[in-house]
Every structure is written in structure tokens, then in C-alpha cells.
Amino acid sequence: MAIPVRSPAPGKPRAAALSDNDVFSGAEEARAFAQAIVDTVREPFLVLDKDLRVLAASRSFCTAFRVSPADTLGRLLYTLGDGQWDIPKLHLLLEKIVPEQGVMEGYEVEHAFPEIGQRTMLLNARKVFYERGSHTTILLGIEDITAERALEREKDELSRQKDDLLEQKVMMGREFDHRLLNSLQLISSLLSLQSRTTKNPEAAEQLSIAGNRVAALGRVHRRLHVLDHVETVEFKAYASRLCEDLSGMIHRERRAIVVEGDEAEIPTLLGIPLGFIVNELVTNSIKYGTGTITVRLELTPEGHSLAVSDEGPGLPEDFAATGPRGLGMKIIQSLVRQIAGELRIDRGDPNRGARFTVLFPRKQAPAAKAV
């Protein structure tokens, strides 16, 4: 809103604390007092008449825009500095917005000045009218925000570069996953082909086992690759899809793989060793057990419990996980250690079959790494 300046009524004192004499003895003293007030403003500041002629200019204005008071006072704003203030947006502000609204704050203007270069300014303008006179003045404050806008642009550019780098990282990750899966599939196929063509039965069996494990690693990575690099994975759904891949191995035996238990979000990196553990344990049950194979995840006060069990015939009485067993158990034990877990082996329900249970914490220790 505009600021009215009221003149005192005739015959009344100007203020109770003042004498009957005028505060200023003349116009020159009043002008000097007004100029002193203007000069105390730290930001560049102008006082304009209704024709936009400069009535007063602060020292900060003259310093910031490299002009002298003699070349500023009494001149039209648009003619200052050989027309450097003849700015279209300034015309709009002073000739339309302020006359209509009386005030404008935070009006942003960009302009290239011959002496000081490109500047971004916030203009604050306010119209002042006088009740006992027909004239008006406009107060124009100028805040130089060039540095702030430059920092904002730099910040935006850094943010854009960061987004580009993250996108490149994602693309490279996808490309790496694609190449890895193709390589694993190729190795698995070569091992399978070699196992079928070798004449040594023992070597053929070992080549087949190695090929199956490479294929299992490919299945685990493929299922996680479908998740498109999300940070966590819902393990029950993830394990169900892995077991769907394995179900083809027992289709003719009319055996089932059931995934049950609690739904829980786990870190995606943790899903790799857990997926490989499920693959090894289910594969063992397919090879040595009978009946339905059950994969069950439960939440515990300490973390999680992942169990794989079958319906028979059970484990030998002298079975010990720490004993000299096959490569599969050694892989499982290594993976359990990597996730800071504990492996328990006992009989399944109702006291038959085999059950392998992996207990692991919800938050992984810094030393734990996925494979």
C-alpha cells in the first residue's frame, strides 16, 4: 500500500516535545536530513519523483553502480549512465505495477551494465503520496542477488551432473548384469556340454555339478536383476520365484516346493547369498529327500530364521555340518558366515526328514558381504 504523509493542521504544534519553531529552518536542511537517512541504507536506494527523476540516491547506489552523485541527482532514471537503467522490466514496474498497486516487493530483474557486468537484482518499490499536495514520490530499493543466483545455478548444475552420473551408474550396472548373466549362461552350457561328451563318469558328474551351480548363480542374479536395482526385496516373493525355476527339476517326480512364512523386506545385496543358500538346500532336498520341500522365513526377536525342510528319509545319525562333506555344504557354510548367521541342522516335522535352518540378523555387520 502507498504511504500517506500528513501535514499538521494549521495552528497546531508539530509535536508536544517540540517548540513552536519549525524543526528545519529551510528546505536545504530538510533535504540534508532526508539525504542522511537515505545514506544510512546499506542497499542501493533511490527516491524518485512522479516523473521518475532522481530526488535522492544513497551512497551505496553510487558505489555499487559506479556513478557520481552529481551525475545522478535531478536526472531521469532511464538516462542515468548513458541509458544503462533503461530496462524494459523497470519500465513495467515503475510505470504500471507501482502506480496501480502502490507497492511491489521482490521484483527480479536481470541486466548487463557496461561498468559492472551482468547483475541480478531484487527491486522493492513503494509509492508515497502527500495529503496536502498533488505530488508523489517513489522509494526504490535495489538488492543485488547476483552471487546468490550464481550459487543456485551452480547448485542446480551440480545436481544435474549428479543425476547424470547416477543414471550412468544405473545404466552401467544394467549392462554389467546383462553381460554377467550371458557369461554365466555360456559357462553353464559349456560345462554341461563337456559333461555329456567326457568318457570319464566321475569327471562327467563333477562337470555337471559345476554347471548346475553356475546356472544357480545365474538364476539368483536374474531374479534380482528383474528388481531393477531396488534397495530391498520382499523375500517371500523372491524365494517363490527362485523355487519356480527349480521346480522344473522335480516335475516328473511329482514333488512340490512350497514357500511360506512371514513377509519381510531384506536388503537386495543380502538376497544374493540367501538366494544361493536356498538354491543349494533345495537342490540337496531334491537329490536326497522325498516329499514336499518347504522353504519358510520367520521373523525372530534377533532377526530372521530361514528354514528348508523335506519329508524324508532324514539325515544319518552321524551327520555333522562341520565334518568333511561335499562342496554344497562348504558353500552353504561359507555363505552363512558371510551374512553373520548361524546354521542349525536337525530333523524335520514330525521328527523325520531333514531341516536346515539359517539364523541371521536384520542388520548386517560391516564385515558381511554378499557374493
Side-chain angles (χ1 to χ4, degrees), residues 311-363:
E311 297 180 352
L315 298 170
E317 294 293 339
D318 60 346
F319 183 90
T322 57
R325 297 290 170 179
L327 179 61
M329 281 306 305
K330 292 180 180 179
I331 291 175
I332 293 172
Q333 291 169 334
S334 175
L335 292 170
V336 170
R337 286 194 298 270
Q338 289 179 14
I339 64 174
E342 176 188 353
L343 177 63
R344 295 180 181 178
I345 304 172
D346 54 15
R347 293 186 177 276
D349 297 327
N351 198 28
R352 58 177 299 190
R355 177 190 290 141
F356 294 82
T357 304
V358 178
L359 304 175
F360 60 96
R362 297 181 186 179
K363 292 185 178 180

Coordinates of all heavy atoms in Angstrom, one line a residue, residues 311-363:
E311 N 10.5 -84.2 3.6 CA 9.7 -85.2 4.4 C 10.4 -86.5 4.6 O 9.8 -87.5 5.1 CB 8.3 -85.4 3.7 CG 7.5 -84.2 3.6 CD 6.2 -84.4 2.9 OE1 6.0 -85.5 2.3 OE2 5.3 -83.5 2.9
G312 N 11.6 -86.7 4.2 CA 12.3 -87.9 4.5 C 13.4 -88.1 3.4 O 13.6 -87.4 2.5
P313 N 14.2 -89.2 3.7 CA 14.2 -90.1 4.8 C 14.9 -89.6 6.0 O 15.0 -90.4 7.0 CB 14.9 -91.3 4.2 CG 15.9 -90.8 3.3 CD 15.2 -89.5 2.7
G314 N 15.4 -88.4 6.0 CA 16.1 -87.9 7.2 C 17.6 -88.0 7.0 O 18.1 -88.6 6.1
L315 N 18.3 -87.4 8.0 CA 19.8 -87.4 7.9 C 20.4 -88.5 8.7 O 19.8 -89.1 9.7 CB 20.3 -86.1 8.6 CG 19.8 -84.8 7.9 CD1 20.2 -83.6 8.8 CD2 20.5 -84.6 6.5
P316 N 21.5 -89.0 8.3 CA 22.2 -90.0 9.0 C 22.5 -89.6 10.5 O 22.6 -88.4 10.7 CB 23.5 -90.3 8.3 CG 23.3 -89.7 6.9 CD 22.3 -88.6 7.1
E317 N 22.5 -90.6 11.4 CA 22.7 -90.2 12.8 C 24.1 -89.5 13.0 O 24.2 -88.7 13.9 CB 22.7 -91.5 13.6 CG 21.3 -92.1 13.7 CD 20.3 -91.2 14.4 OE1 20.7 -90.4 15.2 OE2 19.1 -91.4 14.2
D318 N 25.1 -89.9 12.2 CA 26.4 -89.3 12.4 C 26.6 -88.1 11.5 O 27.8 -87.6 11.4 CB 27.5 -90.4 12.1 CG 27.4 -90.8 10.6 OD1 26.3 -90.6 10.0 OD2 28.3 -91.5 10.2
F319 N 25.6 -87.5 11.0 CA 25.7 -86.3 10.1 C 26.2 -85.1 10.9 O 25.6 -84.8 12.0 CB 24.4 -86.0 9.4 CG 24.6 -84.8 8.4 CD1 24.9 -85.1 7.1 CD2 24.3 -83.5 8.8 CE1 25.1 -84.0 6.2 CE2 24.5 -82.5 7.9 CZ 24.8 -82.7 6.6
A320 N 27.2 -84.4 10.5 CA 27.6 -83.2 11.2 C 28.0 -82.2 10.1 O 28.8 -82.5 9.2 CB 28.8 -83.5 12.1
A321 N 27.5 -81.0 10.3 CA 27.7 -80.0 9.3 C 29.2 -79.6 9.2 O 29.7 -79.1 8.1 CB 26.9 -78.7 9.6
T322 N 29.9 -79.7 10.3 CA 31.3 -79.2 10.3 C 32.2 -80.3 9.8 O 33.4 -80.1 9.7 CB 31.7 -78.8 11.7 OG1 31.5 -79.9 12.6 CG2 30.9 -77.6 12.2
G323 N 31.7 -81.5 9.6 CA 32.5 -82.6 9.1 C 32.9 -82.5 7.7 O 32.5 -81.6 7.0
P324 N 33.7 -83.4 7.2 CA 34.2 -83.4 5.8 C 33.0 -83.8 4.9 O 32.8 -84.9 4.6 CB 35.3 -84.4 5.8 CG 35.0 -85.3 6.9 CD 34.3 -84.5 7.9
R325 N 32.2 -82.8 4.4 CA 31.1 -83.1 3.5 C 31.4 -82.6 2.1 O 32.5 -82.1 1.8 CB 29.9 -82.4 4.0 CG 29.4 -83.0 5.4 CD 28.9 -84.4 5.2 NE 28.7 -85.0 6.5 CZ 28.3 -86.3 6.7 NH1 28.0 -87.0 5.6 NH2 28.1 -86.8 7.9
G326 N 30.4 -82.6 1.3 CA 30.6 -82.2 -0.1 C 30.7 -80.7 -0.3 O 30.6 -79.9 0.6
L327 N 30.9 -80.3 -1.6 CA 31.1 -78.9 -1.9 C 29.9 -78.1 -1.5 O 30.0 -76.9 -1.1 CB 31.4 -78.8 -3.4 CG 31.6 -77.4 -4.0 CD1 32.8 -76.7 -3.3 CD2 31.8 -77.4 -5.5
G328 N 28.7 -78.6 -1.7 CA 27.5 -77.9 -1.4 C 27.4 -77.4 0.0 O 27.1 -76.2 0.3
M329 N 27.8 -78.3 1.0 CA 27.7 -77.9 2.4 C 28.8 -76.8 2.7 O 28.6 -75.9 3.5 CB 27.9 -79.1 3.3 CG 26.6 -79.9 3.5 SD 25.2 -78.9 4.1 CE 25.8 -78.1 5.5
K330 N 30.0 -77.0 2.1 CA 31.0 -76.0 2.3 C 30.6 -74.6 1.7 O 30.9 -73.6 2.4 CB 32.3 -76.4 1.6 CG 32.9 -77.7 2.2 CD 34.2 -78.1 1.5 CE 34.8 -79.4 2.1 NZ 36.0 -79.8 1.4
I331 N 29.9 -74.6 0.6 CA 29.4 -73.3 0.1 C 28.4 -72.7 1.0 O 28.4 -71.5 1.3 CB 28.8 -73.5 -1.3 CG1 29.9 -73.9 -2.3 CG2 28.0 -72.3 -1.8 CD1 29.3 -74.3 -3.7
I332 N 27.5 -73.5 1.5 CA 26.4 -73.0 2.4 C 27.1 -72.5 3.7 O 26.7 -71.4 4.2 CB 25.5 -74.2 2.8 CG1 24.6 -74.5 1.6 CG2 24.5 -73.7 3.9 CD1 23.8 -75.8 1.8
Q333 N 28.0 -73.2 4.3 CA 28.7 -72.7 5.5 C 29.4 -71.4 5.2 O 29.4 -70.5 6.1 CB 29.7 -73.8 6.0 CG 29.0 -75.0 6.5 CD 30.0 -76.1 6.8 OE1 31.0 -76.2 6.2 NE2 29.7 -77.0 7.7
S334 N 30.1 -71.2 4.1 CA 30.8 -70.0 3.8 C 29.8 -68.8 3.6 O 30.0 -67.7 4.1 CB 31.5 -70.2 2.5 OG 32.2 -69.0 2.1
L335 N 28.7 -69.1 3.0 CA 27.7 -68.0 2.8 C 27.0 -67.6 4.1 O 26.8 -66.4 4.4 CB 26.6 -68.5 1.8 CG 27.0 -68.7 0.4 CD1 25.9 -69.4 -0.4 CD2 27.3 -67.3 -0.3
V336 N 26.8 -68.6 5.0 CA 26.2 -68.3 6.3 C 27.2 -67.4 7.1 O 26.8 -66.4 7.8 CB 25.9 -69.6 7.1 CG1 25.5 -69.3 8.5 CG2 24.7 -70.3 6.4
R337 N 28.5 -67.7 7.0 CA 29.5 -66.9 7.7 C 29.5 -65.4 7.2 O 29.6 -64.5 7.9 CB 30.8 -67.5 7.7 CG 31.0 -68.7 8.5 CD 32.5 -69.1 8.6 NE 33.1 -69.4 7.3 CZ 33.1 -70.7 6.8 NH1 32.6 -71.7 7.6 NH2 33.6 -70.9 5.7
Q338 N 29.3 -65.3 5.9 CA 29.4 -64.0 5.3 C 28.2 -63.1 5.7 O 28.4 -61.9 5.7 CB 29.4 -64.1 3.7 CG 30.7 -64.7 3.2 CD 30.7 -64.9 1.7 OE1 29.8 -64.3 1.0 NE2 31.7 -65.6 1.2
I339 N 27.1 -63.7 6.0 CA 25.9 -62.9 6.4 C 25.8 -62.8 8.0 O 24.8 -62.4 8.5 CB 24.6 -63.4 5.8 CG1 24.3 -64.8 6.3 CG2 24.7 -63.3 4.3 CD1 23.0 -65.3 5.8
A340 N 26.9 -63.2 8.6 CA 27.0 -63.2 10.1 C 25.9 -64.1 10.7 O 25.2 -63.7 11.7 CB 26.9 -61.8 10.6
G341 N 25.6 -65.2 10.1 CA 24.5 -66.1 10.5 C 25.0 -67.3 11.2 O 26.1 -67.5 11.5
E342 N 24.0 -68.2 11.5 CA 24.2 -69.4 12.2 C 23.4 -70.5 11.5 O 22.3 -70.3 11.2 CB 23.8 -69.3 13.7 CG 24.0 -70.6 14.5 CD 23.4 -70.6 15.9 OE1 23.0 -69.5 16.3 OE2 23.3 -71.6 16.5
L343 N 24.1 -71.7 11.3 CA 23.4 -72.8 10.6 C 23.1 -73.9 11.6 O 24.0 -74.3 12.4 CB 24.4 -73.4 9.5 CG 23.8 -74.6 8.8 CD1 22.6 -74.3 8.0 CD2 24.9 -75.2 7.9
R344 N 21.8 -74.3 11.6 CA 21.4 -75.4 12.5 C 20.8 -76.5 11.6 O 20.1 -76.2 10.7 CB 20.3 -74.9 13.5 CG 20.9 -73.8 14.5 CD 19.8 -73.4 15.4 NE 20.3 -72.4 16.4 CZ 19.5 -71.8 17.3 NH1 18.2 -72.1 17.4 NH2 20.0 -70.9 18.1
I345 N 21.1 -77.7 12.0 CA 20.7 -78.9 11.3 C 20.0 -79.9 12.2 O 20.5 -80.3 13.2 CB 21.9 -79.6 10.6 CG1 22.6 -78.6 9.7 CG2 21.4 -80.8 9.7 CD1 23.9 -79.1 9.1
D346 N 18.7 -80.3 11.9 CA 18.0 -81.2 12.7 C 17.0 -81.9 11.8 O 16.9 -81.7 10.6 CB 17.4 -80.6 13.9 CG 16.5 -79.4 13.5 OD1 16.1 -79.3 12.3 OD2 16.2 -78.6 14.4
R347 N 16.2 -82.8 12.4 CA 15.2 -83.5 11.7 C 13.9 -82.6 11.5 O 13.7 -81.7 12.3 CB 14.8 -84.8 12.5 CG 15.9 -85.8 12.5 CD 15.4 -87.1 13.2 NE 16.5 -88.1 13.1 CZ 16.7 -88.9 12.1 NH1 16.0 -88.8 11.0 NH2 17.7 -89.8 12.1
G348 N 13.2 -82.9 10.5 CA 12.0 -82.1 10.2 C 10.8 -82.6 11.0 O 10.9 -83.5 11.8
D349 N 9.7 -82.0 10.8 CA 8.4 -82.3 11.4 C 7.7 -83.4 10.6 O 7.7 -83.3 9.4 CB 7.5 -81.1 11.6 CG 8.2 -80.1 12.5 OD1 8.9 -80.5 13.5 OD2 8.0 -78.9 12.3
P350 N 7.1 -84.4 11.1 CA 7.1 -84.7 12.6 C 8.3 -85.7 12.9 O 8.2 -86.9 12.7 CB 5.8 -85.4 12.8 CG 5.5 -86.1 11.5 CD 6.1 -85.2 10.4
N351 N 9.4 -85.1 13.2 CA 10.6 -85.8 13.6 C 11.1 -86.7 12.5 O 11.6 -87.8 12.7 CB 10.5 -86.6 14.9 CG 11.8 -86.9 15.5 OD1 12.8 -86.2 15.3 ND2 11.8 -88.0 16.2
R352 N 11.0 -86.2 11.2 CA 11.5 -87.0 10.1 C 12.0 -86.1 9.0 O 11.8 -84.9 9.1 CB 10.4 -87.9 9.5 CG 9.2 -87.2 9.1 CD 8.2 -88.1 8.5 NE 8.8 -88.8 7.3 CZ 8.0 -89.5 6.4 NH1 6.7 -89.7 6.7 NH2 8.6 -90.1 5.4
G353 N 12.6 -86.6 8.1 CA 13.2 -85.7 7.0 C 14.4 -85.0 7.5 O 15.0 -85.3 8.6
A354 N 14.7 -83.9 6.8 CA 15.9 -83.1 7.2 C 15.4 -81.6 7.2 O 14.6 -81.2 6.4 CB 17.0 -83.3 6.3
R355 N 16.0 -80.8 8.2 CA 15.7 -79.4 8.2 C 17.0 -78.7 8.4 O 17.8 -78.9 9.4 CB 14.7 -79.1 9.3 CG 14.5 -77.5 9.4 CD 13.7 -77.1 10.7 NE 12.4 -77.6 10.6 CZ 11.7 -78.0 11.6 NH1 12.2 -78.2 12.8 NH2 10.4 -78.4 11.5
F356 N 17.3 -77.7 7.5 CA 18.4 -76.8 7.7 C 17.9 -75.4 7.9 O 17.1 -74.9 7.2 CB 19.2 -76.8 6.4 CG 19.9 -78.2 6.1 CD1 19.2 -79.2 5.5 CD2 21.2 -78.4 6.4 CE1 19.8 -80.4 5.2 CE2 21.8 -79.6 6.1 CZ 21.1 -80.6 5.5
T357 N 18.3 -74.8 9.0 CA 17.8 -73.5 9.4 C 19.0 -72.5 9.5 O 20.0 -72.8 10.1 CB 17.1 -73.6 10.8 OG1 16.1 -74.6 10.7 CG2 16.6 -72.2 11.2
V358 N 18.8 -71.4 8.9 CA 19.8 -70.3 8.9 C 19.3 -69.2 9.7 O 18.2 -68.6 9.3 CB 20.2 -69.9 7.5 CG1 21.3 -68.7 7.6 CG2 20.8 -71.0 6.7
L359 N 19.9 -68.8 10.8 CA 19.5 -67.7 11.6 C 20.5 -66.5 11.2 O 21.7 -66.7 11.3 CB 19.6 -68.0 13.1 CG 18.8 -69.2 13.6 CD1 19.1 -69.5 15.0 CD2 17.3 -69.0 13.3
F360 N 19.9 -65.4 10.9 CA 20.7 -64.2 10.5 C 20.1 -62.9 11.0 O 18.9 -62.8 11.1 CB 21.0 -64.2 9.0 CG 19.7 -64.0 8.2 CD1 19.3 -62.8 7.8 CD2 19.0 -65.1 7.8 CE1 18.2 -62.6 7.0 CE2 17.8 -65.0 7.1 CZ 17.4 -63.8 6.7
P361 N 20.9 -61.9 11.4 CA 20.4 -60.7 11.9 C 19.8 -59.8 10.9 O 20.0 -60.0 9.7 CB 21.6 -60.0 12.5 CG 22.8 -60.5 11.7 CD 22.4 -61.9 11.4
R362 N 18.9 -58.9 11.3 CA 18.2 -58.0 10.3 C 19.2 -57.0 9.8 O 19.2 -56.6 8.6 CB 17.1 -57.3 11.0 CG 16.0 -58.2 11.5 CD 14.9 -57.5 12.2 NE 13.9 -58.4 12.7 CZ 12.8 -58.1 13.4 NH1 12.5 -56.8 13.6 NH2 12.0 -59.0 13.9
K363 N 20.1 -56.5 10.6 CA 21.2 -55.5 10.2 C 22.5 -56.3 10.1 O 22.9 -56.9 11.0 CB 21.3 -54.4 11.2 CG 20.1 -53.5 11.2 CD 20.3 -52.3 12.1 CE 19.1 -51.3 12.1 NZ 19.4 -50.1 12.9

